Amino acid sequence: YMNIKDQYKCLVSSKQASFVNSMSMVFSQGYLANAIEVIAKQSNSTIKVTEIGCYNARLMNFLIQRKVVVSYTGVDIRKEYLDESELIDHPHVTLLNEDAIHYLSIPKESQDVVVSSEVLEHIDEVDLKDLLTNMVTLLAPGGTLITSFPENTDQCVFHIVSNETDMGHVNFPVYPEYIYLVEGLGMKLISYDSGFTVRSSYVPPDLISSSKEYKKIYRMLGHRMALAYAMTIDEGHTGGGYYTFRKEEV
């Protein structure tokens, strides 16, 4: 007999994706793909996109499926992830096995968009500024930086590191401090959107949890999907967020 906790450990340690992680991917990758598509449509030429912590370049795969044409560079510190990519030989894809904290071989000010999704929570606080500096350096003036990660605010702790070490989380940037850090690198915050995150302590406000939409999603798809819906439409903070910055033109 295997209890629920043992079953959960078995599942998350296997090669099969867990349900909640798959949900997180849908929301975060969907957000990035949509944002890049909007920027691509506004450009008169093929935009250059770099993704830091790209895994197996699945974001580019989603863009291809949506018929969004970009020149994509994916960077990941784990070579085995890149080796699994189906896009290794794609003419518009470059995959780099590099440690973005210390070095990036991509030419400075060459990229229109730099994105990083669910990566910064895996970066030690002492290394965060170096990583962001390297990311910002890649952007041409007027370029866009999009980052998403589980977060805390100066008023609410949604995440505690000791509770999420099994996910490799070591740091949860704090909302105002993160904005201050990135804007200090020559960026300007354009927008912030709350978003779904796996282990946030977020509780939906009564206004949302009592809505017919929330109740229907809960009934049809369960608590996790209803929670993801609530986090997505909440205008406040949910313990996860999407930040869009623009590089100021000198």
Side-chain angles (χ1 to χ4, degrees):
Y1 174 76
M2 183 181 291
N3 61 36
I4 294 296
K5 287 186 177 180
D6 288 337
Q7 290 181 45
Y8 176 75
K9 289 179 181 178
C10 179
L11 285 173
V12 298
S13 65
S14 74
K15 292 184 178 180
Q16 299 182 50
S18 71
F19 175 66
V20 291
N21 286 340
S22 296
M23 282 177 49
S24 178
M25 184 188 74
V26 168
F27 280 84
S28 63
Q29 299 290 291
Y31 187 96
L32 293 182
N34 187 66
I36 292 170
E37 181 174 2
V38 170
I39 296 171
K41 287 181 176 180
Q42 294 172 345
S43 177
N44 295 322
S45 58
T46 301
I47 65 171
K48 295 180 179 179
V49 178
T50 287
E51 182 179 13
I52 304 298
C54 69
Y55 185 45
N56 61 4
R58 62 189 174 195
L59 174 60
M60 181 59 174
N61 214 336
F62 297 151
L63 290 171
I64 291 171
Q65 292 173 37
R66 293 173 67 157
K67 296 181 173 61
V68 180
V69 179
V70 303
S71 176
Y72 173 91
T73 300
V75 180
D76 206 287
I77 196 171
R78 298 184 65 168
K79 187 176 183 297
E80 63 267 29
Y81 289 166
L82 302 177
D83 290 341
E84 294 174 357
S85 177
E86 299 175 353
L87 301 176
I88 289 178
D89 298 320
H90 193 284
H92 295 158
V93 172
T94 300
L95 300 179
L96 301 174
N97 176 215
E98 296 178 351
D99 182 351
I101 296 173
H102 300 109
Y103 171 78
L104 285 169
S105 62
I106 304 164
K108 295 180 179 180
E109 297 192 350
S110 64
Q111 302 298 296
D112 300 294
V113 182
V114 173
V115 302
S116 181
S117 174
E118 315 309 315
V119 170
L120 301 188
E121 68 272 22
H122 298 276
I123 305 300
D124 288 323
E125 185 176 1
V126 295
D127 294 322
L128 185 58
K129 184 176 181 179
D130 287 341
L131 174 61
L132 290 167
T133 299
N134 289 341
M135 291 166 63
V136 168
T137 300
L138 300 182
L139 285 168
T144 302
L145 172 69
I146 306 172
T147 53
S148 67
F149 50 86
E151 64 181 1
N152 291 321
T153 72
D154 52 358
Q155 297 179 330
C156 186
V157 176
F158 293 97
H159 301 273
I160 299 173
V161 169
S162 60
N163 293 341
E164 302 189 27
T165 54
D166 62 313
M167 301 178 71
H169 296 172
V170 297
N171 176 41
F172 300 109
V174 176
Y175 174 78
E177 295 177 6
Y178 180 72
I179 294 173
Y180 179 79
L181 173 60
V182 179
E183 290 193 329
L185 300 175
M187 305 294 291
K188 180 180 180 181
L189 180 67
I190 301 301
S191 65
Y192 169 81
D193 291 301
S194 65
F196 173 68
T197 182
V198 175
R199 293 197 186 168
S200 173
S201 61
Y202 167 82
V203 177
D206 291 340
L207 183 65
I208 295 178
S209 59
S210 63
S211 70
K212 64 179 182 180
E213 292 85 3
Y214 180 91
K215 290 180 178 178
K216 183 174 183 179
I217 294 171
Y218 192 105
R219 176 178 60 81
M220 291 180 61
L221 303 175
H223 164 69
R224 285 285 185 177
M225 289 301 295
L227 184 63
Y229 162 79
M231 288 179 161
T232 302
I233 65 169
D234 196 323
E235 296 293 339
H237 289 280
T238 63
Y242 305 93
Y243 297 79
T244 300
F245 295 88
R246 183 136 319 131
K247 190 170 188 177
E248 296 183 325
E249 302 189 37
V250 180

